[in-house]
Amino acid sequence: MAMNIGKTLRGVAIVAASLLPFLPQPVQAERIKDLASVQGVRNNQLVGYGLVVGLDGSGDQTTQTPFTVQSIINMLSQLGVTLPPGQSLQLRNVAAVMVTAVLPPFAKPGQQIDITVSSMGNAKSLRGGTLVMTPLKAADGQIYAVGQGSVIVSGFTAQGQAQQLTQGVPTAGRVPNGALVERAVDAEFEDQSVLTLQLRNPDFSTAIRIADAINDYTGQRFGMRVAAERDARTVSVKKPKGVSAARFYAEVENLVVESDTPAKVVVDSRTGTIVIGNQVRISRVAISHGTLTVRITEAPKVVQPEPFSKGETAVEPYTAIDASQPNARVAVLDGPNLETLVSGLNRLGVKPDGIIAILQGIKSAGALQADLVLQ
């Protein structure tokens, strides 16, 4: 009896395993914080011009970069050092650089942020250099941070009399925590009564699902519906009374929503990269793909005259033309899902450039149910 029960259970397990491909698979869902961001909560770009000193002879050639010399003179004058008029500076341990940084939202004075240093002149390397105090400005012209510190460069260059080796980019580097925030960006997040969520990938279906998920949560939590979709990118959410904006959004941003994206195929013909979305479908089509090779060989022949004929030696042209079409095949391609589509393209045995041509042909035939984006 026990043996019969064991056989029955194994049979049920085999049937269940065979039905797994046909059962509905769990849909992948994302948090709202991964799908959208709050309007007004964003980064701000900063930029500045400065000098990197302490280089081992790999700085700017001052005879070819006059702005470096002018910057050195201005810096020394601010430090109380006055150079004689017409003084020619021949320095190789200084480089003029552009300093960039990203000011995160809600940054406060005294907070440290990373900065990126990039050479402007003809310096060979910034390795071992130190960035001198550089003010960093935003688009409004105000100074929001000041950068200074040792530059960390991952690339290097080595040069001999007959050969030069360069690894990475030695003329750009980073200064971790190299800038101090001096001014805070005005933010009124706590005073906002309506939060505007902006989808990173605009889609009407996703926007509606986000609004429904928020309304379901707030209906149970606060007894009211607060979210409404405006368009494919924007969802407005009213903050309930009795809770701060930060706490309310912290509760809302972790709600899980099933996102939706349009069917799209992105093709980069320069690198041969092909990205096919999960929603891409292809109607049943027959495809013939093969490479036609034509080989033309020129083999002129030398013709000698017969003995005692008083003829002249001549060259007779001879051309051999050979046309072949290897790997020519006809295949039926049907893509009801992404796995079938990819396996069908692989079954043709073509390279990425051939797949690009096939996708373009399928799109022209009207069988590709997706947007084809060529880059």
Side-chain angles (χ1 to χ4, degrees), residues 3-20 23:
M3 183 178 299
N4 294 333
I5 294 177
K7 291 182 179 180
T8 303
L9 293 177
R10 285 195 297 270
V12 172
I14 293 175
V15 173
S18 62
L19 291 177
L20 281 178
L23 295 176

Side-chain angles (χ1 to χ4, degrees), residues 197-234:
L197 304 183
Q198 294 181 336
L199 275 69
R200 295 183 174 88
N201 296 316
D203 186 80
F204 284 102
S205 299
T206 305
I208 293 176
R209 292 170 185 173
I210 290 178
D212 292 342
I214 295 177
N215 287 329
D216 292 342
Y217 173 77
T218 56
Q220 300 177 2
R221 175 77 162 79
F222 303 98
M224 57 186 303
R225 298 171 61 88
V226 298
E229 64 281 355
R230 293 183 180 178
D231 48 43
R233 181 181 289 273
T234 309

Side-chain angles (χ1 to χ4, degrees), residues 17-279:
S18 62
L19 291 177
L20 281 178
F22 305 97
L23 295 176
Q25 300 297 323
V27 180
Q28 183 178 2
E30 294 82 12
R31 299 174 300 178
I32 293 180
K33 67 190 306 181
D34 301 325
L35 299 175
S37 60
V38 181
Q39 183 178 4
V41 180
R42 63 179 184 86
N43 298 324
N44 292 276
Q45 297 177 341
L46 305 179
V47 65
Y49 171 81
L51 294 174
V52 172
V53 300
L55 302 177
D56 187 14
S58 60
D60 293 338
Q61 296 180 5
T62 54
T63 57
Q64 300 177 4
T65 54
F67 53 85
T68 304
V69 178
Q70 182 180 358
S71 302
I72 295 174
I73 295 175
N74 294 338
M75 181 186 67
L76 292 178
S77 64
Q78 294 178 3
L79 296 177
V81 179
T82 303
L83 297 178
Q87 180 70 30
S88 178
L89 299 179
Q90 301 293 332
L91 304 177
R92 295 298 304 274
N93 60 348
V94 183
V97 295
M98 292 299 297
V99 183
T100 57
V102 175
L103 185 65
F106 310 116
K108 302 300 180 182
Q111 180 179 345
Q112 294 179 326
I113 58 177
D114 298 340
I115 57 178
T116 301
V117 181
S118 305
S119 174
M120 285 186 59
N122 53 9
K124 296 181 180 179
S125 176
L126 299 180
R127 179 179 291 273
T130 301
L131 176 67
V132 182
M133 181 182 297
T134 303
L136 302 178
K137 300 180 180 180
D140 57 358
Q142 300 293 327
I143 298 176
Y144 285 86
V146 176
Q148 180 173 283
S150 300
V151 182
I152 299 178
V153 179
S154 58
F156 70 91
T157 179
Q159 183 177 4
Q161 295 182 354
Q163 190 176 7
Q164 180 178 354
L165 175 63
T166 301
Q167 180 73 28
V169 182
T171 55
R174 292 180 61 83
V175 183
N177 296 328
L180 286 175
V181 178
E182 300 293 341
R183 183 195 300 265
V185 179
D186 295 335
E188 300 178 353
F189 181 79
E190 184 62 30
D191 299 333
Q192 293 183 2
S193 59
V194 178
L195 302 179
T196 301
L197 304 183
Q198 294 181 336
L199 275 69
R200 295 183 174 88
N201 296 316
D203 186 80
F204 284 102
S205 299
T206 305
I208 293 176
R209 292 170 185 173
I210 290 178
D212 292 342
I214 295 177
N215 287 329
D216 292 342
Y217 173 77
T218 56
Q220 300 177 2
R221 175 77 162 79
F222 303 98
M224 57 186 303
R225 298 171 61 88
V226 298
E229 64 281 355
R230 293 183 180 178
D231 48 43
R233 181 181 289 273
T234 309
V235 177
S236 61
V237 182
K238 296 182 180 179
K239 181 180 71 67
K241 296 181 180 180
V243 61
S244 64
R247 178 177 294 275
F248 173 66
Y249 183 68
E251 297 178 2
V252 168
E253 68 177 358
N254 289 313
L255 298 178
V256 177
V257 176
E258 178 187 346
S259 62
D260 198 357
T261 56
K264 186 177 295 186
V265 178
V266 181
V267 174
D268 190 345
S269 57
R270 294 171 298 179
T271 60
T273 303
I274 304 172
V275 180
I276 303 176
N278 187 39
Q279 304 296 332

